[in-house]
Coordinates of all heavy atoms in Angstrom, one line a residue:
S1 N -175.1 -43.7 -71.8 CA -174.6 -42.9 -70.7 C -175.6 -41.8 -70.4 O -176.2 -41.2 -71.3 CB -173.3 -42.3 -71.1 OG -172.8 -41.5 -70.1
E2 N -175.8 -41.5 -69.1 CA -176.7 -40.4 -68.6 C -175.9 -39.2 -68.3 O -176.4 -38.1 -68.1 CB -177.5 -40.9 -67.4 CG -178.5 -41.9 -67.8 CD -179.6 -41.4 -68.8 OE1 -180.0 -40.3 -68.6 OE2 -179.9 -42.2 -69.7
A3 N -174.5 -39.3 -68.2 CA -173.7 -38.2 -67.9 C -172.3 -38.4 -68.6 O -171.9 -39.5 -68.8 CB -173.5 -38.0 -66.4
L4 N -171.7 -37.3 -68.8 CA -170.3 -37.3 -69.4 C -169.3 -37.4 -68.2 O -169.3 -36.6 -67.4 CB -170.1 -36.1 -70.2 CG -171.0 -36.0 -71.4 CD1 -170.7 -34.7 -72.2 CD2 -170.9 -37.1 -72.4
T5 N -168.5 -38.5 -68.3 CA -167.5 -38.6 -67.3 C -166.3 -37.8 -67.6 O -166.1 -37.4 -68.8 CB -167.0 -40.1 -67.2 OG1 -166.4 -40.5 -68.4 CG2 -168.2 -41.0 -66.9
P6 N -165.4 -37.5 -66.7 CA -164.2 -36.8 -67.0 C -163.3 -37.5 -68.0 O -162.7 -36.8 -68.9 CB -163.4 -36.7 -65.6 CG -164.5 -36.8 -64.6 CD -165.5 -37.7 -65.2
E7 N -163.4 -38.8 -68.1 CA -162.6 -39.6 -69.1 C -163.2 -39.3 -70.5 O -162.4 -39.2 -71.4 CB -162.7 -41.1 -68.7 CG -161.9 -41.5 -67.4 CD -162.7 -41.2 -66.2 OE1 -164.0 -41.0 -66.2 OE2 -162.1 -41.0 -65.1
I8 N -164.5 -39.3 -70.6 CA -165.1 -39.1 -71.9 C -164.7 -37.6 -72.4 O -164.3 -37.4 -73.5 CB -166.6 -39.3 -71.9 CG1 -166.9 -40.8 -71.6 CG2 -167.2 -38.9 -73.2 CD1 -168.4 -41.0 -71.2
I9 N -164.9 -36.7 -71.5 CA -164.6 -35.3 -71.8 C -163.1 -35.2 -72.3 O -162.8 -34.5 -73.3 CB -164.8 -34.4 -70.6 CG1 -166.3 -34.3 -70.2 CG2 -164.3 -32.9 -70.9 CD1 -167.2 -33.7 -71.2
A10 N -162.2 -35.9 -71.6 CA -160.8 -35.8 -71.9 C -160.5 -36.4 -73.3 O -159.7 -35.9 -74.1 CB -160.0 -36.6 -70.9
E11 N -161.2 -37.5 -73.6 CA -161.1 -38.2 -74.9 C -161.6 -37.2 -76.0 O -160.9 -37.1 -77.0 CB -161.9 -39.5 -75.0 CG -161.2 -40.6 -74.4 CD -162.0 -41.9 -74.7 OE1 -161.9 -42.4 -75.8 OE2 -162.6 -42.5 -73.7
W12 N -162.7 -36.6 -75.8 CA -163.2 -35.6 -76.8 C -162.3 -34.4 -76.9 O -162.0 -33.9 -78.0 CB -164.6 -35.2 -76.5 CG -165.6 -36.2 -77.0 CD1 -165.5 -37.0 -78.1 CD2 -166.9 -36.4 -76.5 NE1 -166.6 -37.8 -78.3 CE2 -167.5 -37.4 -77.3 CE3 -167.7 -35.9 -75.5 CZ2 -168.8 -37.9 -77.1 CZ3 -168.9 -36.3 -75.2 CH2 -169.5 -37.3 -76.1
R13 N -161.7 -34.0 -75.8 CA -160.8 -32.8 -75.9 C -159.4 -33.2 -76.5 O -158.7 -32.3 -76.8 CB -160.6 -32.2 -74.5 CG -161.8 -31.4 -74.1 CD -161.6 -30.7 -72.8 NE -162.8 -29.9 -72.5 CZ -163.2 -29.5 -71.3 NH1 -162.4 -29.7 -70.3 NH2 -164.3 -28.8 -71.2
S14 N -159.2 -34.5 -76.6 CA -158.0 -34.9 -77.4 C -158.2 -34.8 -78.9 O -157.2 -34.7 -79.6 CB -157.6 -36.4 -77.0 OG -158.5 -37.3 -77.6
V15 N -159.4 -34.6 -79.3 CA -159.8 -34.4 -80.7 C -160.1 -33.0 -81.0 O -159.7 -32.4 -82.0 CB -161.0 -35.3 -81.0 CG1 -161.5 -35.1 -82.5 CG2 -160.7 -36.8 -80.8
L16 N -160.9 -32.3 -80.1 CA -161.3 -30.9 -80.2 C -160.7 -30.1 -79.2 O -160.4 -30.5 -78.1 CB -162.8 -30.8 -80.1 CG -163.7 -31.7 -81.0 CD1 -165.2 -31.4 -80.7 CD2 -163.4 -31.3 -82.5
S17 N -160.5 -28.8 -79.4 CA -160.1 -27.9 -78.4 C -161.1 -27.8 -77.3 O -162.3 -28.0 -77.6 CB -159.8 -26.5 -79.0 OG -160.9 -26.0 -79.7
A18 N -160.7 -27.3 -76.1 CA -161.6 -27.3 -75.0 C -162.9 -26.5 -75.2 O -164.0 -26.9 -74.8 CB -160.9 -26.8 -73.8
E19 N -162.8 -25.4 -76.0 CA -164.0 -24.5 -76.2 C -165.0 -25.2 -77.2 O -166.1 -24.7 -77.3 CB -163.6 -23.1 -76.6 CG -163.0 -23.0 -78.0 CD -161.5 -23.2 -78.1 OE1 -160.9 -23.5 -77.1 OE2 -161.0 -23.2 -79.2
R20 N -164.6 -26.2 -77.8 CA -165.5 -26.9 -78.8 C -166.1 -28.2 -78.2 O -166.7 -29.0 -78.8 CB -164.8 -27.2 -80.1 CG -164.4 -25.9 -80.8 CD -164.0 -26.2 -82.2 NE -162.7 -26.8 -82.3 CZ -162.4 -27.8 -83.2 NH1 -163.3 -28.2 -84.1 NH2 -161.2 -28.3 -83.3
V21 N -165.9 -28.4 -76.9 CA -166.5 -29.5 -76.1 C -167.3 -28.8 -75.0 O -166.8 -28.3 -74.1 CB -165.5 -30.5 -75.5 CG1 -166.2 -31.5 -74.7 CG2 -164.6 -31.1 -76.6
L22 N -168.7 -28.9 -75.1 CA -169.6 -28.2 -74.2 C -170.1 -29.3 -73.2 O -170.5 -30.3 -73.6 CB -170.7 -27.5 -74.9 CG -170.3 -26.6 -76.1 CD1 -171.5 -26.0 -76.7 CD2 -169.4 -25.5 -75.6
E23 N -170.2 -28.9 -72.0 CA -170.7 -29.8 -70.9 C -172.0 -29.4 -70.4 O -172.3 -28.2 -70.5 CB -169.7 -29.9 -69.8 CG -168.3 -30.5 -70.2 CD -167.3 -30.5 -69.1 OE1 -167.7 -31.2 -68.0 OE2 -166.2 -30.0 -69.2
G24 N -172.8 -30.3 -69.8 CA -174.0 -30.1 -69.1 C -174.8 -28.8 -69.3 O -175.4 -28.6 -70.4
D25 N -174.8 -27.9 -68.3 CA -175.6 -26.7 -68.4 C -175.2 -25.8 -69.6 O -176.1 -25.2 -70.1 CB -175.4 -25.9 -67.1 CG -176.0 -26.6 -65.9 OD1 -176.9 -27.5 -66.1 OD2 -175.7 -26.2 -64.7
H26 N -174.0 -25.7 -69.9 CA -173.5 -24.9 -71.1 C -174.2 -25.4 -72.3 O -174.7 -24.6 -73.1 CB -172.0 -24.9 -71.2 CG -171.5 -23.9 -72.2 ND1 -170.7 -22.8 -71.8 CD2 -171.7 -23.8 -73.5 CE1 -170.4 -22.1 -72.9 NE2 -171.0 -22.7 -73.9
A27 N -174.2 -26.7 -72.5 CA -174.8 -27.3 -73.7 C -176.3 -27.2 -73.7 O -176.9 -26.9 -74.7 CB -174.4 -28.8 -73.8
Q28 N -176.9 -27.4 -72.5 CA -178.3 -27.2 -72.4 C -178.8 -25.8 -72.7 O -179.8 -25.6 -73.4 CB -178.8 -27.6 -70.9 CG -180.3 -27.6 -70.7 CD -180.9 -28.7 -71.4 OE1 -180.5 -29.9 -71.3 NE2 -182.0 -28.5 -72.1
K29 N -178.0 -24.8 -72.2 CA -178.4 -23.4 -72.5 C -178.3 -23.1 -74.0 O -179.1 -22.5 -74.6 CB -177.5 -22.5 -71.7 CG -177.9 -21.1 -71.8 CD -177.1 -20.2 -70.9 CE -177.5 -18.7 -71.0 NZ -176.8 -17.9 -70.1
R30 N -177.2 -23.6 -74.6 CA -177.0 -23.3 -76.1 C -178.0 -24.1 -77.0 O -178.4 -23.5 -78.0 CB -175.6 -23.7 -76.4 CG -175.2 -23.4 -77.9 CD -173.8 -23.4 -78.1 NE -173.5 -23.1 -79.5 CZ -172.3 -22.8 -79.9 NH1 -171.3 -22.7 -79.0 NH2 -172.0 -22.5 -81.1
Y31 N -178.4 -25.3 -76.7 CA -179.2 -26.1 -77.6 C -180.5 -26.5 -77.1 O -181.3 -27.1 -77.8 CB -178.4 -27.4 -78.0 CG -177.0 -27.1 -78.6 CD1 -175.9 -27.5 -77.9 CD2 -176.9 -26.6 -79.8 CE1 -174.6 -27.2 -78.5 CE2 -175.7 -26.3 -80.4 CZ -174.6 -26.6 -79.7 OH -173.3 -26.4 -80.3
G32 N -180.9 -26.2 -75.9 CA -182.1 -26.7 -75.2 C -183.4 -26.0 -75.6 O -184.4 -26.6 -75.4

């Protein structure tokens, strides 16, 4: 996958709380 779909994000958020699932720019800034 080249991008995270809303479905994938929703699956991960069913496991982790929303603040523990980072998307796109937020993840890039934190780990890039």
Side-chain angles (χ1 to χ4, degrees):
S1 176
E2 291 297 317
L4 298 177
T5 65
E7 294 78 22
I8 296 168
I9 298 293
E11 281 189 71
W12 276 333
R13 285 187 176 158
S14 73
V15 176
L16 303 178
S17 58
E19 70 273 0
R20 293 192 291 140
V21 177
L22 309 179
E23 298 178 55
D25 291 341
H26 189 116
Q28 185 70 45
K29 185 174 182 178
R30 182 165 180 163
Y31 302 111

